[in-house]
């Protein structure tokens, strides 16, 4: 029995073509050359949302699709932070990097992998009175070398709006604000987004809403673009196991998220 394609709805082909166009556009946004450096920061308002997981997967996507290496920065206190997931050894301050004048200077002493270099400040001794704030570590160890990398991805981990979220966000060109996809957590993230973009540095914001409850993407679709682009990240066994995604929807969501972060600008969020 032969298939008469003339009987198939034209919308079927139209929707497939539209999907291909979207994916092509995402790949283009991820791989395109940049006129200046792009600093992406991953921040969450509560633990356990998947901030380091997303920072890790986005770093991998960028590293595999761009011609220049990505600088991955681990400033999260979590046990499974970005640096740990990359397998990067802790790094110590270095005079050559601090006064870097070339790309080789900037990469001195940094652990590296397939398409990335990493800054992972070493844990401080227990005798230290207190660990320096994440923003201070970024300014001392990342700021002198970030200009030698087209893209910098920083895992800031959990930051509180009344403590240091604004300070960390101000170091970024775009903030990926990671939250659970439930209504309450999403509304909190939506409330914080305009405050971030109203900072003097005017960072852009993209919401990454992780569907831990496997409830679907209805909430993300309802808030997308108001007040910031929102990308639903579906539950995926691979991501839960700290591995590559196992499902096409999760792969597609990570591509979309990476593209949105590369394309985001302050104008996309209403002040």
């Amino acid at each position: 029995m032969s298939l008469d394609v003339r009987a198939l709805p034209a919308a079927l082909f139209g929707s497939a073509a539209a999907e291909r166009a979207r994916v092509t556009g995402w790949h283009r946004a991820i791989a395109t050359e940049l006129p200046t450096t792009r600093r992406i920061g991953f921040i969450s308002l509560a633990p356990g949302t998947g901030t380091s997981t997303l920072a890790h997967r986005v770093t991998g996507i960028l590293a595999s699709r761009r011609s220049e290496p990505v600088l991955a920065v681990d400033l999260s206190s979590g046990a499974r932070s970005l640096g740990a997931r990359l397998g990067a050894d802790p790094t110590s301050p270095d005079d050559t990097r601090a006064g870097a004048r070339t790309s080789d200077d900037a990469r001195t002493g940094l652990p590296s992998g397939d398409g990335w270099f990493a800054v992972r400040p070493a844990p401080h001794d227990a005798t230290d009175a207190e660990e320096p704030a994440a923003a201070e570590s970024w300014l001392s160890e990342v700021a002198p070398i970030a200009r030698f990398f087209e893209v910098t991805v920083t895992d800031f981990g959990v930051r509180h709006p009344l403590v240091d979220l604004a300070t960390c966000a101000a170091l970024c060109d775009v903030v990926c604000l990671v939250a659970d996809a439930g209504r309450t957590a999403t509304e909190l993230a939506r409330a914080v987004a305009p405050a971030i973009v109203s900072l003097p540095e005017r960072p852009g914001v993209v919401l990454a809403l992780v569907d831990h409850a496997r409830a679907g993407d209805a909430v993300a679709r309802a808030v997308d673009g108001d007040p910031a682009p929102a990308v639903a990240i579906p539950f995926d066994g691979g991501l839960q196991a700290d591995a590559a995604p196992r499902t096409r929807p999760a792969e597609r969501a990570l591509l979309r998220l990476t593209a949105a972060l590369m394309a985001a600008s302050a104008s996309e969020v209403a002040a």
Side-chain angles (χ1 to χ4, degrees):
M1 178 176 169
S2 62
L3 174 66
D4 184 359
V5 295
R6 293 172 298 178
L8 295 176
L12 176 63
F13 296 104
S15 110
E19 173 68 8
R20 285 196 301 271
R22 281 192 290 269
V23 173
T24 298
W26 295 338
H27 283 291
R28 186 181 303 115
I30 292 168
T32 190
E33 291 187 13
L34 300 171
T36 184
T37 58
R38 170 69 50 145
R39 299 165 300 170
I40 300 171
F42 283 79
I43 298 176
S44 62
L45 304 176
T49 57
T51 309
S52 296
T53 297
L54 294 185
H56 180 212
R57 301 320 307 180
V58 167
T59 296
I61 290 171
L62 291 169
S64 67
R65 288 165 173 79
R66 298 190 60 81
S67 59
E68 293 295 323
V70 176
L71 180 62
V73 182
D74 182 0
L75 296 177
S76 172
S77 59
R80 296 301 298 155
S81 59
L82 176 57
R85 291 167 190 263
L86 290 172
D89 292 331
T91 55
S92 300
D94 182 273
D95 290 341
T96 301
R97 291 201 308 272
R101 296 188 177 186
T102 67
S103 294
D104 287 342
D105 290 345
R107 299 172 182 180
T108 300
L110 296 182
S112 62
D114 190 8
W116 56 264
F117 286 82
V119 174
R120 188 184 182 193
H124 284 228
D125 295 334
T127 53
D128 286 352
E130 86 178 16
E131 187 173 334
E136 294 177 11
S137 293
W138 201 98
L139 289 170
S140 64
E141 299 197 41
V142 183
I145 64 175
R147 63 192 175 96
F148 295 101
F149 295 86
E150 281 192 332
V151 182
T152 297
V153 175
T154 302
D155 177 8
F156 285 104
V158 181
R159 299 296 156 189
H160 196 284
L162 300 181
V163 180
D164 58 355
L165 188 150
T167 305
C168 293
L171 300 172
C172 307
D173 296 308
V174 57
V175 173
C176 183
L177 197 57
V178 184
D180 182 82
R183 176 64 66 177
T184 300
T186 296
E187 288 301 328
L188 177 58
R190 290 179 70 205
V192 169
I196 293 176
V197 81
S198 67
L199 293 168
E201 296 79 7
R202 302 285 291 173
V205 176
V206 174
L207 304 181
L209 304 179
V210 184
D211 185 19
H212 296 97
R214 310 190 201 191
D217 63 353
V219 172
R221 286 189 286 108
V223 304
D224 185 19
D226 179 23
V231 179
I233 309 297
F235 177 88
D236 181 276
L239 297 180
Q240 290 291 313
D242 193 18
R246 298 172 184 167
T247 63
R248 182 171 178 80
E251 290 180 351
R252 184 180 181 278
L254 290 171
L255 277 176
R256 183 188 171 197
L257 176 62
T258 307
L261 292 169
M262 292 298 288
S265 65
S267 64
E268 294 180 8
V269 182

